[in-house]
Amino acid sequence: MTTEPRKDTEDLAPAVNRELAGLDALELTVRSRRNPIARLWSAAWPVLAAVGIALALWQLVVLSGWKESWVLPGPADVLPELWNSVTSGSFWGAVGLTMQRAVIGFAVSVLVGTVLGLAVSRFGVLRRAFGSLITGLQTMPSIAWFPLAILLFQLSESAILFVVVLGAAPSIANGLIAGVDYLPPILLRAGKVMGLRGLSQYRHLILPASLPAFVAGLKQGWAFAWRSLMAGELLVQIGTTSSVGRLLSDSRELSDTAAMISVMLVILVIGIVIDQLFGLADRTLRNRWGLNAAD
């Protein structure tokens, strides 16, 4: 009496698996048949339209006469200045120094934020002791740390790194804490049943399952790190070294508004490019987890 239903279930399982495999193959085929040029255009035209609208609004403000042209130059004055900047070697040397500082500061922030987030999320005593403090540090303006940083490290790279880490690490830690908090308890129990303990549990279960929230925390941490770095380069100018923040400060002191706005555009473009890289990582993660619907 009990063998027949079990046999029917066993016979039904391969058929269900074949049907699901067929649906997956159909979805992949539909995606692969899409013209690459059409995909590129569908991704590019909203960006191009947004840039065109922004330039048009900018030009309209200039034409309105709200401010003199030397105070607020239009795109016709700024874009040639931007072209002259990006075609000079000294400009790329400044960008290189800024990106070097950004990568080092963000890497240290990821290390500190990950260790802090894992410790606080898994130990209740640390959560009660430091949970609110981490959130408070996250909401604190980065520029408020610079007087202390300059007193501790003088006008040095360490002062900039200090503020970048304090600005980014709390956001990364909070992202990881949120990811761990939303792990299903049954998943943790299953990991223990499978023998995952200690570091192996973090490596093979907790960190992979927390990746979506962790990536969101990394993205927010980068935003805080980038803002902290720009503030640092404006306030902490080391010798004759040239950076993006230094170029911005020099153009302001020389009242060269066109050059100043061109540097601001470079800062904006770098931020957009990094955001796209984080978006690519997020889409890759979603594809791996099967969360992206067909276009």
Side-chain angles (χ1 to χ4, degrees), residues 66 135 283:
W66 177 55
T135 303
R283 287 191 298 273

Side-chain angles (χ1 to χ4, degrees), residues 149-196:
I150 294 173
L151 285 176
L152 294 175
F153 303 104
Q154 289 75 48
L155 298 178
S156 64
E157 297 286 345
S158 299
I160 298 176
L161 179 63
F162 176 77
V163 177
V164 170
V165 172
L166 283 176
S171 298
I172 297 172
N174 272 335
L176 184 54
I177 291 170
V180 175
D181 285 347
Y182 282 93
L183 285 180
I186 191 173
L187 191 62
L188 297 175
R189 290 196 295 268
K192 291 180 180 180
V193 170
M194 297 174 66
L196 295 179

Side-chain angles (χ1 to χ4, degrees), residues 172-290:
I172 297 172
N174 272 335
L176 184 54
I177 291 170
V180 175
D181 285 347
Y182 282 93
L183 285 180
I186 191 173
L187 191 62
L188 297 175
R189 290 196 295 268
K192 291 180 180 180
V193 170
M194 297 174 66
L196 295 179
R197 297 288 190 279
L199 292 178
S200 62
Q201 185 185 38
Y202 283 96
R203 179 183 175 185
H204 298 291
L205 177 62
I206 294 177
L207 281 176
S210 305
L211 270 180
F214 188 37
V215 170
L218 290 175
K219 184 176 180 179
Q220 188 178 41
W222 166 259
F224 279 101
W226 185 241
R227 291 192 297 179
S228 301
L229 179 59
M230 289 299 100
E233 290 187 344
L234 284 171
L235 296 175
V236 181
Q237 299 183 4
I238 305 169
T240 59
T241 57
S242 180
S243 62
V244 173
R246 183 68 175 266
L247 294 177
L248 187 62
S249 177
D250 290 345
S251 60
R252 178 188 60 82
E253 292 179 357
L254 296 173
S255 298
D256 190 350
T257 311
M260 182 176 67
I261 295 178
S262 68
V263 176
M264 292 170 63
L265 291 176
V266 170
I267 296 172
L268 175 64
V269 169
I270 292 176
I272 293 174
V273 170
I274 300 298
D275 178 76
Q276 292 298 314
L277 293 178
F278 276 108
L280 177 62
D282 181 68
R283 287 191 298 273
T284 302
L285 180 63
R286 292 173 66 86
N287 285 331
R288 184 175 180 180
W289 285 28

